[in-house]
Amino acid sequence: MPRHKSAWKATLASATVAVLSATLIPLTATPSSAEELCGPYVNVAPMNPSYRTQGRYGNPNITNPRVMEAVLCLINTERTSRGIRALNFSRQLRNAAQGHAEAGVRLKWWEPGADSHVNPETSSTPLGRIRDQGYCSPSYRNPDAYGEITYTGSGDGATPKAAVQWWMNSPPHRDNILNPKLSSAGNWAEWGSARQGASNFGGGTYVVDFGTCYRRLGKVH
C-alpha cells in the first residue's frame, strides 16, 4: 500500500513544493489499455538487484530497466493522449533520479509531513541534483523549467501502474506530468520502501525528474 508521495512543482524561474490534494482525477488509460500500450511490466514491481532467480520476471538486470521504461511510457501516454508532446529521455535526469531514489530507500524519511525532495543527510534539492548531473550545458547551469515527483509503495502499490495512477490522481503531480513546458525526463525505480521503519520486501520507490533547457538560439533539451 502506498504511504507517501510528493511533488516538486517547478515553472520558469520558480519552484515550490506542492501540497497534496485529496481530489481524485481518473487515469486516462484503463488497466487493460495501459498494458496493451506499455507492456506487461506496468504491473511488475522493481526487483532486488541481488536476486538471480529464473522465470518470466526473474532477472533484475532485465526486469528493472523494463519497469523504468514502463513508467516513462505511461507518463508519455498521458501526455500524448491530451495532445502534449512526449518527453525526451535524459540520461542526466535519470542519474539525478537514481541517486535520490537510492537515498530514499537507504535513509527512509518519506513520511507524511516530511519533504521527500530534500535529502536530510545532504540537504540536496531537485535543482541541485539536476545541475550536479550536468543537465544543461556547463555555461548554462539552470534549467528554464524543472520538476520532480516521487512515490513509494508496497505490494500491489509497488508497480509502475500504481505509481502513475497515484500521480495522476493528485493535482500537483498531475501538473508536472502534463506540463507542456517540460520537454525531457529521466526516471528511476528502486527496489524497497522509502518509508521510515518499513521493510524493503515487496516495496518499490520511484523518482521522475523533468527539465527543459534553452539557449539564446533555441531549445537544446
Side-chain angles (χ1 to χ4, degrees), residues 41 46-47 59-72 94 160 187-189:
Y41 287 91
M47 289 185 64
N59 187 335
N61 291 331
I62 297 173
T63 297
N64 292 350
R66 299 294 181 268
V67 168
M68 289 184 275
E69 289 173 2
V71 172
L72 197 55
R94 185 195 67 179
N187 64 298
W188 193 260

Side-chain angles (χ1 to χ4, degrees), residues 19-209:
V19 178
L20 300 187
S21 169
T23 304
L24 296 182
I25 303 169
L27 184 68
T28 299
T30 64
S32 58
S33 65
E35 186 166 339
E36 289 170 3
L37 291 167
C38 298
Y41 287 91
V42 299
N43 296 309
V44 178
M47 289 185 64
N48 185 335
S50 67
Y51 288 174
R52 292 293 182 270
T53 57
Q54 299 299 315
R56 184 179 182 189
Y57 305 117
N59 187 335
N61 291 331
I62 297 173
T63 297
N64 292 350
R66 299 294 181 268
V67 168
M68 289 184 275
E69 289 173 2
V71 172
L72 197 55
C73 177
L74 290 171
I75 287 175
N76 276 332
T77 297
E78 294 296 338
R79 289 172 65 93
T80 57
S81 68
R82 294 167 174 82
I84 304 169
R85 190 172 182 176
L87 295 160
N88 298 314
F89 171 75
S90 165
R91 185 175 300 276
Q92 291 94 340
L93 293 176
R94 185 195 67 179
N95 291 343
Q98 176 181 357
H100 195 54
E102 291 174 346
V105 172
R106 178 172 59 86
L107 299 176
K108 298 187 183 299
W109 82 91
W110 295 10
E111 289 295 310
D115 187 350
S116 66
H117 302 284
V118 179
N119 184 311
E121 191 172 77
T122 65
S123 299
S124 70
T125 64
L127 177 58
R129 291 188 291 271
I130 290 170
R131 289 192 309 185
D132 287 346
Q133 291 301 325
Y135 183 70
C136 299
S137 69
S139 60
Y140 196 90
R141 294 290 289 172
N142 290 322
D144 292 270
Y146 67 97
E148 179 175 90
I149 53 178
T150 65
Y151 176 95
T152 190
S154 60
D156 291 341
T159 66
K161 186 168 69 178
V164 176
Q165 174 81 63
W166 198 96
W167 286 330
M168 289 300 294
N169 283 343
S170 171
H173 303 78
R174 176 185 170 99
D175 288 349
N176 274 288
I177 289 173
L178 302 181
N179 187 345
K181 295 178 181 177
L182 296 170
S183 61
S184 299
N187 64 298
W188 193 260
E190 184 73 6
W191 173 78
S193 174
R195 287 179 49 226
Q196 186 175 12
S199 169
N200 284 335
F201 182 77
T205 295
Y206 298 83
V207 176
V208 184
D209 283 325

